[in-house]
Amino acid sequence: MDEIINWTPQVDIIVPCYNVERIVSKCIKSLLEQDYSKNKINIYLVNDGSTDKTKKILESFAQETQITIIHNSNNMSQAFSRNIGIKKGDGEVICFLDSDMVVKKDWVNIHVKILSQKEIVGVVGDQESPRNKKDTAFDRYLYNKRRGARNFNKMSSISFQYFLFSNASLKRSVFNTVKLFDEKFISYGGEDTDLAIRIWQKFPNSLRFSKFAVSENHGEENFEIFCKKMFEYGKTN
């Protein structure tokens, strides 16, 4: 694999936020603590019309030079919010993270290191349950090593259905070939799959999974909620 030597690109991190007062502060702090060069990271927090205290919490980080806060007047969608962040930034690498995720200090570094391979355009990271949380039977299913992209060997090419944008990165140059998220998708999941398919069609061997670029999933979810979400996801997809 050809590697881009000594590559330290500018990185944009896009975080859509909707009614996440419970966890969003922890998410933001984990991004501010990245061990990547501080002047090489811009964080775009997009408040998608939240009705709880999310807006107030985001504004408490307004003095951070790395952070740009954007407020949608209404709840528009993940696609709309991510597109705003993409258009606002100009980094060579775009990282996407859901606002109920918390990442380790090496998260950006891992994404960038993999993307330094010239033939790779996108990376999707792994998820795990929060530390100090006692695993349930549902957790053991959700994070099972045989589920989803975890089946693939290190640095194996993956196909579109495994590329989810809750913890992912792309080279900005991808959008010179592929359009942005389709904003017609306003329900759960469809915008991810649609964009992933379009990227995979243009760059069929250029998507990777990394178990090391891991995020803690702090979403309030149980088996019943998960089944409802998957039902909606299936209808959209």
Side-chain angles (χ1 to χ4, degrees), residues 165-186:
F165 286 87
S166 51
N167 170 4
S169 62
L170 290 173
K171 289 175 178 171
R172 181 174 286 275
S173 57
V174 166
F175 293 109
N176 295 332
T177 305
V178 177
K179 293 180 180 179
L180 302 181
F181 288 95
D182 188 338
E183 295 177 13
K184 292 197 298 291
F185 290 98
I186 58 173

Side-chain angles (χ1 to χ4, degrees), residues 79-98:
F80 184 92
S81 297
R82 287 172 179 156
N83 283 347
I84 283 181
I86 294 168
K87 294 171 188 175
K88 195 79 173 176
D90 60 1
E92 289 178 78
V93 168
I94 305 171
C95 290
F96 299 92
L97 189 70
D98 281 357

Side-chain angles (χ1 to χ4, degrees), residues 131-195:
R131 278 171 261 172
N132 304 320
K133 177 181 180 291
K134 185 177 180 180
D135 284 351
T136 64
F138 175 61
D139 291 329
R140 290 192 290 275
Y141 158 74
L142 202 60
Y143 306 110
N144 191 284
K145 65 181 181 181
R146 293 185 294 274
R147 186 169 181 265
R150 300 184 189 104
N151 283 297
F152 289 86
N153 295 324
K154 181 180 179 182
M155 297 305 286
S156 294
S157 174
I158 63 171
S159 56
F160 65 88
Q161 64 264 46
Y162 301 107
F163 204 87
L164 306 173
F165 286 87
S166 51
N167 170 4
S169 62
L170 290 173
K171 289 175 178 171
R172 181 174 286 275
S173 57
V174 166
F175 293 109
N176 295 332
T177 305
V178 177
K179 293 180 180 179
L180 302 181
F181 288 95
D182 188 338
E183 295 177 13
K184 292 197 298 291
F185 290 98
I186 58 173
S187 59
Y188 175 64
E191 82 289 345
D192 280 39
T193 307
D194 172 72
L195 180 56

Side-chain angles (χ1 to χ4, degrees), residues 5-17:
I5 306 298
N6 299 322
W7 192 50
T8 53
Q10 192 75 32
V11 176
D12 294 334
I13 304 174
I14 300 171
V15 186
C17 307

